[in-house]
Every structure is written in structure tokens, then in C-alpha cells.
């Protein structure tokens, strides 16, 4: 029964695409999620987005992200 309860827990995964505009948009989402108290359970990215996803994963702040 414990496995079922854990699987019902919703988590947020933020996927960051490649390209400057997509990375900037992801930073905006990251900032809003943090401000509103929504924890990001997983961050993944492609190309330049992988740098931002890595910064999110290590707990960097939006202000100091690359």
C-alpha cells in the first residue's frame, strides 16, 4: 500500500530546451516556481538548456545561474 501512496504524489520536472530564448523562459519559470513554493523534483535540458538544468539540480539560485 505504501507504494501506491508514493506514486500518487505529484512532482514537477522542468525541461529546458536549447537556444537562448528557451533558456531565458526556463529561468522565468524557475523563478516563479521558487517564489510560489513549488519544488522542482527533476531538471533536464538539451544543449545550452543542460547548463541551466545543472544549475537547478545543484541548488543554484536564479540570480546566479549562468
Amino acid at each position: 500500500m505504501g507504494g501506491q501512496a508514493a506514486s500518487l504524489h505529484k512532482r514537477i520536472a522542468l525541461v529546458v530546451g536549447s537556444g537562448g530564448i528557451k533558456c531565458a523562459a526556463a529561468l522565468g519559470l524557475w523563478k516563479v516556481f521558487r517564489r510560489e513554493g513549488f519544488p522542482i523534483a527533476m531538471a533536464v535540458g538539451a544543449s545550452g538548456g543542460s547548463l541551466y538544468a545543472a544549475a537547478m539540480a545543484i541548488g543554484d539560485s536564479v540570480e546566479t545561474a549562468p
Side-chain angles (χ1 to χ4, degrees):
M1 197 113 185
Q4 285 181 333
S7 66
L8 296 177
H9 180 71
K10 294 183 180 183
R11 296 177 289 165
I12 297 173
L14 184 58
V15 180
V16 186
S18 60
I21 298 298
K22 292 177 186 172
C23 293
L27 284 177
L29 279 173
W30 184 18
K31 190 173 187 174
V32 170
F33 284 164
R34 288 182 68 125
R35 183 186 68 216
E36 298 299 321
F38 296 114
I40 298 172
M42 180 186 340
V44 295
S47 190
S50 63
L51 297 174
Y52 290 97
M56 292 174 200
I58 64 171
D60 225 351
S61 71
V62 177
E63 291 76 25
T64 61

